[in-house]
Amino acid sequence: MAKVIVMDHPLIQHKLSILRNEKTGSKEFRALVSEIATLICYEATRDLPLKEVETKTPVAVAKTKVIAGKKLAFVPILRAGLGMVDGVLALVPSARVGHIGLYRDPETLKPVEYYCKLPADIEEREVIVLDPMLATGGSAIDAISQIKLRGPKTIKFMGIIAAPEGLEALKKAHPDVEIYVAALDDHLNEHGYIVPGLGDAGDRIFGTK
Ligand code: PRP
Ligand code: URA
């Protein structure tokens, strides 16, 4: 069964409170999304494989560890996932970044794909999919299905707020994908918005609407 980690770290929970506040403007909202992404990424990368190397310090040769292999690719789901990219690259600056463009049809709530560009060597990489909101789960499920066609080593999902409906759907569709979020909210409303949530993440990041 899929591993789900809800990050209850006090720094994340404090930042999430400000993020949810309807009075928080786009500039601060963007900064908080990025900071929360950095903090979640720290945990999501905990099991990256290491290899031992020798490093000459000014005093002696030390046996030290570095990340092994081709490492990571981050794949934000456009648009809102873009808000998490700087935050994760702050920790892993050498990671590759792919992009998947999906929007939810407002009537059907089904995802519609309009763009997909993934790193050429994705099959040698561990992939972390980024999207702040996991609502019905349709966007994350479709994005992960697309990425799986390219055969990466592993896939994880990193979000900020999940609805129980979306979490269950994602676990069922992709039981092999580990899920990292900052909060598990109450439910979805009749428009497919997470309650209490934070509203439309893309609009709040980019100041649209
Ligand atoms: C939002 C959000 C997710 C999706 C979540 O994107 O960023 O991608 O909705 O909903 P789901 O779990 O029900 O699929 P949206 O479709 O609003 O597009 P945008 O980021 O371009 O605004
Ligand atoms: N997408 C958002 O941006 N917010 C929600 O609450 C649900 C989907």
Side-chain angles (χ1 to χ4, degrees):
M1 201 52 192
K3 181 170 143 190
V4 179
I5 288 105
V6 181
M7 304 274 300
D8 58 0
H9 193 286
L11 288 175
I12 296 180
Q13 294 306 313
H14 182 88
K15 289 176 194 295
L16 184 55
S17 290
I18 309 170
L19 195 69
R20 288 184 190 272
N21 191 326
E22 64 178 1
K23 294 202 169 72
T24 300
S26 281
K27 184 167 179 265
E28 192 180 5
F29 192 91
R30 271 197 297 276
L32 287 162
V33 166
S34 185
E35 289 165 16
I36 293 171
T38 304
L39 293 167
I40 300 177
C41 184
Y42 179 75
E43 188 60 28
T45 51
R46 177 178 288 284
D47 62 356
L48 277 181
L50 292 169
K51 66 176 180 192
E52 204 171 80
V53 295
E54 292 198 338
T55 302
K56 197 166 180 312
T57 79
V59 180
V61 174
K63 286 192 192 310
T64 58
K65 286 176 180 163
V66 295
I67 293 167
K70 271 267 173 140
K71 309 166 193 166
L72 276 180
F74 294 112
V75 181
I77 300 178
L78 309 182
R79 293 177 298 167
L82 286 175
M84 300 171 78
V85 173
D86 284 354
V88 296
L89 287 179
L91 288 188
V92 195
S94 62
R96 299 290 186 266
V97 181
H99 294 86
I100 293 195
L102 294 172
Y103 70 87
R104 278 201 322 179
D105 182 292
E107 301 299 325
T108 65
L109 300 182
K110 298 280 178 240
V112 181
E113 188 181 324
Y114 59 88
Y115 188 76
C116 182
K117 180 83 181 170
L118 298 171
D121 61 354
I122 197 165
E123 70 284 348
E124 296 170 55
R125 291 181 181 269
E126 321 240 350
V127 170
I128 302 185
V129 176
L130 309 172
D131 192 331
M133 309 305 277
L134 185 66
T136 64
S139 303
I141 290 169
D142 264 35
I144 291 167
S145 299
Q146 279 298 322
I147 296 167
K148 278 189 175 172
L149 294 175
R150 295 278 304 277
K153 283 173 139 176
T154 61
I155 305 181
K156 292 177 180 169
F157 176 84
M158 238 181 83
I160 295 184
I161 301 181
E165 295 89 332
L167 191 64
E168 282 314 306
L170 179 54
K171 282 164 62 178
K172 192 161 171 233
H174 296 296
D176 53 318
V177 170
E178 292 181 7
I179 303 166
Y180 295 80
V181 291
L184 180 56
D185 272 14
D186 201 49
H187 65 280
L188 291 178
N189 69 16
E190 65 275 24
H191 306 293
Y193 275 82
I194 301 175
V195 182
L198 51 69
D200 188 305
D203 283 342
R204 295 196 66 184
I205 289 170
F206 295 108
T208 42
K209 212 167 207 172

